[in-house]
Amino acid sequence: MEKIKILGMEEIPLYENIKVIDGAFVYGEEVGTYTLVKTHYSHYNEPLVAILNTDDSMSSDDPQNSIPKDYFILGEMDTPVRKGNLGIFSYNGECIVRRLKISGKNAVLEAFNKNYSDISVEGEDEFYILAKVIEASRNF
């Protein structure tokens, strides 16, 4: 097994949420810090944002596809979110984490928890892609 060399560590502010209101980023309350461990295998694009998952919309019985409430989520802000990727979105003034799907010409935001309906983004909705989710964990 190859030994992983730690190249450095960086503390990133951990926010309750982040959203866009009237075209401006609005960061929620800072609730702690997220420790990013950089290794030879780390290939993150800057800037990064860390948020706290505040609901159970991304929880599921499948551990491979589950981000429970109160998990920390790290996202790359200048990275495209493509169909099938998890993203951090601002939807009508709320910060949400969902999987991006496409239906015709509309973006559809899918929750892992089937108690939450898919969100079809319509022309009158205020919608921004904030970041591509790259990590989620209970402990950082």
Side-chain angles (χ1 to χ4, degrees), residues 100-108 120-123 127:
L100 178 65
K101 297 184 344 184
I102 304 296
S103 177
K105 294 184 179 184
N106 291 337
V108 176
S120 181
V121 179
E122 305 294 332
F127 174 69

PDB file of all heavy atoms in Angstrom, residues 100-108 120-123 127:
ATOM      1  N   LEU A 100     -27.953  17.167 -10.178  1.00  0.00           N
ATOM      2  CA  LEU A 100     -28.457  17.864 -11.355  1.00  0.00           C
ATOM      3  C   LEU A 100     -28.877  16.864 -12.418  1.00  0.00           C
ATOM      4  O   LEU A 100     -28.106  15.984 -12.791  1.00  0.00           O
ATOM      5  CB  LEU A 100     -27.391  18.804 -11.917  1.00  0.00           C
ATOM      6  CG  LEU A 100     -27.770  19.573 -13.178  1.00  0.00           C
ATOM      7  CD1 LEU A 100     -28.923  20.540 -12.905  1.00  0.00           C
ATOM      8  CD2 LEU A 100     -26.574  20.331 -13.722  1.00  0.00           C
ATOM      9  N   LYS A 101     -30.112  16.996 -12.859  1.00  0.00           N
ATOM     10  CA  LYS A 101     -30.620  16.229 -13.992  1.00  0.00           C
ATOM     11  C   LYS A 101     -31.113  17.231 -15.027  1.00  0.00           C
ATOM     12  O   LYS A 101     -31.318  18.396 -14.723  1.00  0.00           O
ATOM     13  CB  LYS A 101     -31.785  15.318 -13.564  1.00  0.00           C
ATOM     14  CG  LYS A 101     -31.385  14.270 -12.552  1.00  0.00           C
ATOM     15  CD  LYS A 101     -32.447  13.261 -12.148  1.00  0.00           C
ATOM     16  CE  LYS A 101     -33.862  13.528 -12.453  1.00  0.00           C
ATOM     17  NZ  LYS A 101     -34.831  12.546 -11.954  1.00  0.00           N
ATOM     18  N   ILE A 102     -31.301  16.776 -16.241  1.00  0.00           N
ATOM     19  CA  ILE A 102     -31.803  17.627 -17.311  1.00  0.00           C
ATOM     20  C   ILE A 102     -33.064  16.971 -17.879  1.00  0.00           C
ATOM     21  O   ILE A 102     -33.089  15.776 -18.136  1.00  0.00           O
ATOM     22  CB  ILE A 102     -30.761  17.810 -18.432  1.00  0.00           C
ATOM     23  CG1 ILE A 102     -29.434  18.362 -17.871  1.00  0.00           C
ATOM     24  CG2 ILE A 102     -31.299  18.706 -19.541  1.00  0.00           C
ATOM     25  CD1 ILE A 102     -29.519  19.741 -17.270  1.00  0.00           C
ATOM     26  N   SER A 103     -34.100  17.777 -18.061  1.00  0.00           N
ATOM     27  CA  SER A 103     -35.334  17.308 -18.680  1.00  0.00           C
ATOM     28  C   SER A 103     -35.704  18.318 -19.759  1.00  0.00           C
ATOM     29  O   SER A 103     -36.134  19.426 -19.447  1.00  0.00           O
ATOM     30  CB  SER A 103     -36.452  17.193 -17.639  1.00  0.00           C
ATOM     31  OG  SER A 103     -37.665  16.801 -18.258  1.00  0.00           O
ATOM     32  N   GLY A 104     -35.476  17.945 -21.014  1.00  0.00           N
ATOM     33  CA  GLY A 104     -35.696  18.892 -22.105  1.00  0.00           C
ATOM     34  C   GLY A 104     -34.709  20.028 -21.988  1.00  0.00           C
ATOM     35  O   GLY A 104     -33.499  19.829 -21.994  1.00  0.00           O
ATOM     36  N   LYS A 105     -35.219  21.236 -21.816  1.00  0.00           N
ATOM     37  CA  LYS A 105     -34.360  22.418 -21.647  1.00  0.00           C
ATOM     38  C   LYS A 105     -34.300  22.889 -20.203  1.00  0.00           C
ATOM     39  O   LYS A 105     -33.747  23.944 -19.920  1.00  0.00           O
ATOM     40  CB  LYS A 105     -34.865  23.554 -22.535  1.00  0.00           C
ATOM     41  CG  LYS A 105     -34.726  23.250 -24.017  1.00  0.00           C
ATOM     42  CD  LYS A 105     -35.133  24.431 -24.856  1.00  0.00           C
ATOM     43  CE  LYS A 105     -34.957  24.117 -26.330  1.00  0.00           C
ATOM     44  NZ  LYS A 105     -35.258  25.253 -27.182  1.00  0.00           N
ATOM     45  N   ASN A 106     -34.884  22.111 -19.296  1.00  0.00           N
ATOM     46  CA  ASN A 106     -34.944  22.522 -17.895  1.00  0.00           C
ATOM     47  C   ASN A 106     -33.976  21.743 -17.034  1.00  0.00           C
ATOM     48  O   ASN A 106     -33.774  20.537 -17.234  1.00  0.00           O
ATOM     49  CB  ASN A 106     -36.352  22.320 -17.323  1.00  0.00           C
ATOM     50  CG  ASN A 106     -37.356  23.272 -17.910  1.00  0.00           C
ATOM     51  OD1 ASN A 106     -37.002  24.340 -18.401  1.00  0.00           O
ATOM     52  ND2 ASN A 106     -38.618  22.892 -17.873  1.00  0.00           N
ATOM     53  N   ALA A 107     -33.421  22.430 -16.050  1.00  0.00           N
ATOM     54  CA  ALA A 107     -32.650  21.757 -15.008  1.00  0.00           C
ATOM     55  C   ALA A 107     -33.643  21.175 -14.020  1.00  0.00           C
ATOM     56  O   ALA A 107     -34.660  21.789 -13.695  1.00  0.00           O
ATOM     57  CB  ALA A 107     -31.732  22.754 -14.306  1.00  0.00           C
ATOM     58  N   VAL A 108     -33.335  19.965 -13.559  1.00  0.00           N
ATOM     59  CA  VAL A 108     -34.140  19.312 -12.533  1.00  0.00           C
ATOM     60  C   VAL A 108     -33.202  18.965 -11.390  1.00  0.00           C
ATOM     61  O   VAL A 108     -32.122  18.402 -11.613  1.00  0.00           O
ATOM     62  CB  VAL A 108     -34.833  18.040 -13.084  1.00  0.00           C
ATOM     63  CG1 VAL A 108     -35.588  17.321 -11.979  1.00  0.00           C
ATOM     64  CG2 VAL A 108     -35.753  18.385 -14.240  1.00  0.00           C
ATOM     65  N   SER A 120     -38.139  21.201 -10.588  1.00  0.00           N
ATOM     66  CA  SER A 120     -37.922  21.571 -11.984  1.00  0.00           C
ATOM     67  C   SER A 120     -37.738  23.082 -12.036  1.00  0.00           C
ATOM     68  O   SER A 120     -38.635  23.833 -11.640  1.00  0.00           O
ATOM     69  CB  SER A 120     -39.127  21.151 -12.840  1.00  0.00           C
ATOM     70  OG  SER A 120     -38.891  21.485 -14.183  1.00  0.00           O
ATOM     71  N   VAL A 121     -36.575  23.508 -12.467  1.00  0.00           N
ATOM     72  CA  VAL A 121     -36.262  24.937 -12.508  1.00  0.00           C
ATOM     73  C   VAL A 121     -36.960  25.548 -13.719  1.00  0.00           C
ATOM     74  O   VAL A 121     -36.743  25.126 -14.854  1.00  0.00           O
ATOM     75  CB  VAL A 121     -34.742  25.171 -12.568  1.00  0.00           C
ATOM     76  CG1 VAL A 121     -34.427  26.648 -12.632  1.00  0.00           C
ATOM     77  CG2 VAL A 121     -34.054  24.510 -11.374  1.00  0.00           C
ATOM     78  N   GLU A 122     -37.801  26.512 -13.466  1.00  0.00           N
ATOM     79  CA  GLU A 122     -38.572  27.187 -14.517  1.00  0.00           C
ATOM     80  C   GLU A 122     -37.952  28.557 -14.797  1.00  0.00           C
ATOM     81  O   GLU A 122     -37.140  29.056 -14.020  1.00  0.00           O
ATOM     82  CB  GLU A 122     -40.031  27.335 -14.082  1.00  0.00           C
ATOM     83  CG  GLU A 122     -40.703  26.028 -13.693  1.00  0.00           C
ATOM     84  CD  GLU A 122     -40.873  25.061 -14.848  1.00  0.00           C
ATOM     85  OE1 GLU A 122     -40.986  25.525 -16.003  1.00  0.00           O
ATOM     86  OE2 GLU A 122     -40.889  23.848 -14.593  1.00  0.00           O
ATOM     87  N   GLY A 123     -38.379  29.183 -15.880  1.00  0.00           N
ATOM     88  CA  GLY A 123     -37.815  30.466 -16.306  1.00  0.00           C
ATOM     89  C   GLY A 123     -37.946  31.582 -15.289  1.00  0.00           C
ATOM     90  O   GLY A 123     -37.088  32.462 -15.208  1.00  0.00           O
ATOM     91  N   PHE A 127     -32.247  31.048  -9.961  1.00  0.00           N
ATOM     92  CA  PHE A 127     -31.463  29.824  -9.851  1.00  0.00           C
ATOM     93  C   PHE A 127     -30.006  30.103 -10.172  1.00  0.00           C
ATOM     94  O   PHE A 127     -29.697  30.689 -11.204  1.00  0.00           O
ATOM     95  CB  PHE A 127     -32.026  28.774 -10.830  1.00  0.00           C
ATOM     96  CG  PHE A 127     -31.225  27.509 -10.908  1.00  0.00           C
ATOM     97  CD1 PHE A 127     -31.180  26.633  -9.839  1.00  0.00           C
ATOM     98  CD2 PHE A 127     -30.523  27.193 -12.059  1.00  0.00           C
ATOM     99  CE1 PHE A 127     -30.446  25.449  -9.921  1.00  0.00           C
ATOM    100  CE2 PHE A 127     -29.795  26.020 -12.158  1.00  0.00           C
ATOM    101  CZ  PHE A 127     -29.757  25.145 -11.079  1.00  0.00           C
TER     102      PHE A 127
END
